[in-house]
Amino acid sequence: PVVMDYGFVDCHCHISAPEFQQDLPDVIHRTRQAGVKTLVAVTEEVEEFSRVLRLQERYPDLVAPCLGLHPLQAAGGQRSVRPQDLEEALPLFYSHRERLVAIGEIGLDFTPWCAPTQQDRDDQMKVFIRQLDVAMEMDLPVNVHSRSAAKVTIDTMRRRGISRALLHNFSGKPAAAMEAVEAGFFFSFPPAVCRNQQRDRLIQRIPLDHICLETDAPALGLHRNRNEPANIALSCSYIAKVKGQTPETVREVTTQNAYRLFSRASR
């Protein structure tokens, strides 16, 4: 049998974030040292698109770019995404489609203080659906945010015919998770899950062949300071502990899962 070197795949990180601009070469060096083979790099707003594409040019064997509009936009203080935000983004999805491994980070965030009005939620839904349809058209998977909206996010993806999706940092109910497993979707968990046992039941219930690893760097680390992709092993060992598996098994299976999901990223 061929013995493969199963490095890690960070299935959801923000390597183009401003937090990494000061010392990016060092961050990348530590990422490689930690055994990370692929960084699935998501975007949140259109201003970030060119930066993630430049990073792919700079680190072509490592950075696997995704373009997407997050349900919350930082522009002008945090607000819900609006359909007009797509006007600038959509042409870029099409012009760079050959370089993308997924559409993301897209989704819904119905946290009350983030989306206080029905209009906010309706706008998010319109933008989400449009991006799901683009992903279908381009035969790309989706990298998805579903805070305070797990069930509606999963139902919407199923209705639009989505079969390849990553539910990042999923914290919905186990029943919703099982529905997503049935649809063939994957889940990823960042180092922040190590902070307490809240997600254990969920991690126990979801079969390992539906789990991927992520850091969501620079956010969702073990501590409040900047998280980075090199911390991926924390997620791996925590999932291994909760599932009663070895970290090696979790690394191997999650990496196979990641390349099955993000088939354009596999080498």
Side-chain angles (χ1 to χ4, degrees), residues 41-219:
V42 294
T43 47
E44 296 185 336
E45 14 204 280
V46 73
E47 293 72 35
E48 232 182 326
F49 289 5
S50 59
R51 180 156 170 78
V52 83
L53 293 167
R54 277 200 308 279
L55 292 178
Q56 184 202 24
E57 286 160 19
R58 198 161 146 196
Y59 305 108
D61 59 325
L62 184 67
V63 174
C66 310
L67 297 186
L69 292 182
H70 191 283
L72 302 177
Q73 297 288 292
Q78 208 158 35
R79 62 164 175 87
S80 280
V81 70
R82 296 194 270 260
Q84 50 269 37
D85 295 320
L86 283 167
E87 287 164 19
E88 205 183 330
L90 285 175
L92 297 169
F93 289 4
Y94 288 99
S95 56
H96 298 293
R97 63 190 292 175
E98 295 309 317
R99 298 174 59 179
L100 305 183
V101 299
I103 299 296
E105 177 175 358
I106 65 173
L108 301 171
D109 193 317
F110 290 173
T111 315
W113 57 90
C114 295
T117 70
Q118 190 59 46
Q119 181 70 55
D120 288 326
R121 296 187 286 274
D122 291 346
D123 282 349
Q124 284 190 24
M125 182 62 87
K126 283 190 189 111
V127 173
F128 183 39
I129 286 175
R130 185 74 184 89
Q131 294 182 105
L132 291 175
D133 292 349
V134 167
M136 288 290 288
E137 184 192 331
M138 294 185 179
D139 193 28
L140 286 172
V142 286
N143 206 321
V144 177
H145 176 101
S146 58
R147 191 166 58 164
S148 303
K151 189 166 163 39
V152 63
T153 301
I154 293 161
D155 291 346
T156 303
M157 291 196 291
R158 296 188 81 164
R159 265 207 322 278
R160 303 310 289 192
I162 296 287
S163 61
R164 291 190 299 152
L166 180 73
L167 289 152
H168 113 90
N169 189 32
F170 187 79
S171 60
K173 294 190 170 71
M178 291 305 106
E179 204 183 306
V181 165
E182 208 178 296
F185 301 159
F186 292 85
F187 300 80
S188 58
F189 298 99
V193 294
C194 312
R195 288 184 200 160
N196 54 51
Q197 276 86 55
Q198 274 171 1
R199 231 74 76 82
D200 289 10
R201 225 173 98 238
L202 201 53
I203 293 168
Q204 281 160 358
R205 286 282 301 274
I206 298 167
L208 188 58
D209 57 10
H210 285 267
I211 292 179
C212 292
L213 302 178
E214 67 158 300
T215 61
D216 198 30

Side-chain angles (χ1 to χ4, degrees), residues 5-10 28-39 62 229-233 251 255 259 267:
D5 167 28
Y6 290 102
F8 292 109
V9 178
D10 185 344
I28 295 292
H29 177 71
R30 287 190 291 271
T31 297
R32 294 193 198 275
Q33 292 293 105
V36 177
K37 296 285 185 270
T38 302
L39 289 181
L62 184 67
N231 293 329
I232 194 90
R251 182 183 63 191
T255 292
Y259 288 134
R267 291 177 314 285

